[in-house]
């Protein structure tokens, strides 16, 4: 089933014409409404009237995550606050989140593109949809929720976590479609099997999985364990949230980008020049229709390929491959984006902790865990003495660890195991790039 055949199977020429019209309007719109874009376009001597179509896209300035930080919280909004219906936020590179806003029309467009994803994932109107993405500032929960309602599912807004309850509802409510992170889907599958539940007794047909990188091996494993389909969904808050692209169940070979709303480039991350279709580069999006916070050429930091080859499902929109890596140091731990710089921000000024740390990420089964090793201040170490510092049960150390865990949780929204290090024990730069993140998940 194709949700919006007229748009999703549009011949390329017609699609490009639509994109060109929308891009020209967008250039006028942001120039008039967003001071940062006016300044950047003026500096580059680009007038809105120079942007006549998609072939002029390269003239427009890039947008980076740091631009959102520099304009925190609402400086890139193109409409008065009275027209902003909702805000969401994701991890920034420091203690402050990255904020995005939506008008009523933006929410409506989001529901439309997310509804397309349900169709692509093999959902049927009337299906029970169990939404195990987190509800809240994260775009996953509400984004999928509105898409499912638009599509005509019955939504179970269970949100993330609580595996026992997830399984109970899968069994008792007859869930046909479920959405969560891929690592959580595998945890769930293992638990279902461990409890001796026959997967055939469940009605679930499709898992819509995204928000973190995953692999073909994980797909094969999940599909074999539960006898369901697993499809990939992609999105990011700065551009929209879930629904920017989604695999079709027919091909399961790349995610169709909603190209009528998101103009896509794949660029060499160092030069900013386009790479050929099929070559790996950074995927960059320009939002063609967003009102509250449109972005020009947003540098996602996500590395992937793109293809415009015909797809067996009949959709003409380009497909992006799996995310193969990042151009920056962002990690995704249990579906939550984490920048190492946030850890520093969480620790700085928190006596007796220091911002000298090492981050170790591991995966047991399918669950990520993170350990943060943090150096304590000299004075604290001296006052306590070496012997007490070596005693894991020491009261004072307990308190400091709890304080560190809370400080990290306040900024990251994640629980971390904390180990305290004596002064001088955390990694230091030895001239080269300081390595203090150890991702041991692979
Ligand atoms: O993760 C939106 C989302 C929610 C997508 C639910 C899919 C499902 P952010 O929290 O802003 O938004 O994180 C965006 O997550 O730049 C990618 O690095 C990563 N990411 C998202 N989807 C995928 C995916 C949501 N399917 C960042 N595969 C993006 C790999 C993904 N990485």
């Amino acid at each position: 089933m194709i949700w919006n055949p007229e748009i999703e199977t549009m011949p390329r020429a017609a699609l490009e014409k639509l994109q060109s019209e929308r891009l020209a309007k967008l250039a006028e719109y942001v120039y008039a409404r967003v001071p940062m874009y006016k300044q950047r376009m003026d500096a580059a001597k680009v007038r809105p009237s120079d942007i006549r179509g998609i072939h002029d896209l390269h003239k427009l300035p890039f947008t980076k995550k740091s631009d959102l930080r520099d304009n925190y919280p609402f400086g890139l909004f193109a409409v008065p606050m009275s027209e902003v219906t909702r805000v969401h936020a994701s991890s920034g590179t420091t203690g402050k989140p990255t904020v995005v806003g939506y008008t009523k029309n933006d929410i409506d467009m989001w529901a439309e593109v997310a509804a397309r994803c349900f169709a692509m994932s093999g959902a049927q109107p009337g299906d029970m949809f169990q939404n195990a993405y987190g509800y809240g500032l994260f775009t996953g929960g509400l984004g999928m929720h509105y898409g499912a309602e638009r599509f005509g599912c019955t939504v179970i807004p269970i949100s993330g976590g609580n595996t026992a309850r997830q399984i109970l509802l899968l069994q008792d409510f007859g869930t046909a479609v479920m959405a969560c992170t891929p690592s959580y889907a595998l945890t769930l599958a293992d638990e279902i099997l461990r409890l001796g539940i026959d997967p055939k007794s469940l009605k679930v047909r499709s898992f819509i999985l995204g928000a973190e990188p995953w692999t073909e091996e994980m797909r094969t494993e999940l599909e074999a364990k539960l006898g369901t389909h697993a499809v990939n969904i992609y999105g990011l808050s700065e551009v929209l949230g879930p629904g920017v692209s989604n695999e079709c169940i027919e091909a399961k070979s790349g995610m169709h980008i909603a190209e009528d709303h998101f103009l896509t480039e794949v660029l060499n991350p160092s030069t900013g020049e386009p790479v050929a279709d099929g070559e790996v580069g950074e995927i960059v999006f320009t939002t063609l229709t967003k009102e509250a916070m449109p972005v020009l050429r947003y540098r996602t930091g996500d590395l992937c390929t793109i293809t415009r080859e015909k797809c067996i499902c009949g959709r003409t929109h380009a497909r992006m491959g799996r995310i193969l890596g990042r151009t920056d140091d962002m990690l995704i731990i249990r579906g939550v984006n984490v920048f190492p710089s946030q850890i520093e921000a969480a620790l700085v000024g928190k006596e007796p902790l220091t911002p000298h740390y090492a981050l170790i990420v591991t995966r047991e089964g399918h669950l990520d865990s993170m350990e943060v090793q943090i150096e304590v201040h000299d004075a604290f170490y001296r006052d306590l003495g070496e012997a007490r510092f070596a005693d894991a049960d020491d009261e004072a150390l307990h308190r400091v660890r709890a304080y560190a865990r809370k400080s990290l949780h306040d900024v990251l929204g994640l629980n971390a195991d904390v180990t305290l290090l004596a002064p001088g024990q955390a990694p230091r730069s030895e001239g080269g790039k300081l390595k203090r993140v150890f991702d041991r998940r692979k």
Side-chain angles (χ1 to χ4, degrees), residues 183 212 332-335 361-370 415 441:
S183 52
E212 67 185 12
I332 305 186
I333 302 171
R334 273 177 257 142
V361 191
T362 48
R363 177 168 284 171
E364 221 169 282
H366 302 292
L367 267 195
D368 296 337
S369 44
M370 68 188 270
N415 291 319
R441 283 177 291 188

Side-chain angles (χ1 to χ4, degrees), residues 54 93 138 152 155 160 167 206 242 317 319 381 416-417 425 441:
I54 54 173
T93 48
F138 177 55
V155 185
I167 294 175
S206 286
H317 293 195
R319 280 171 287 160
Y381 183 76
D417 297 326
Q425 295 304 299
R441 283 177 291 188

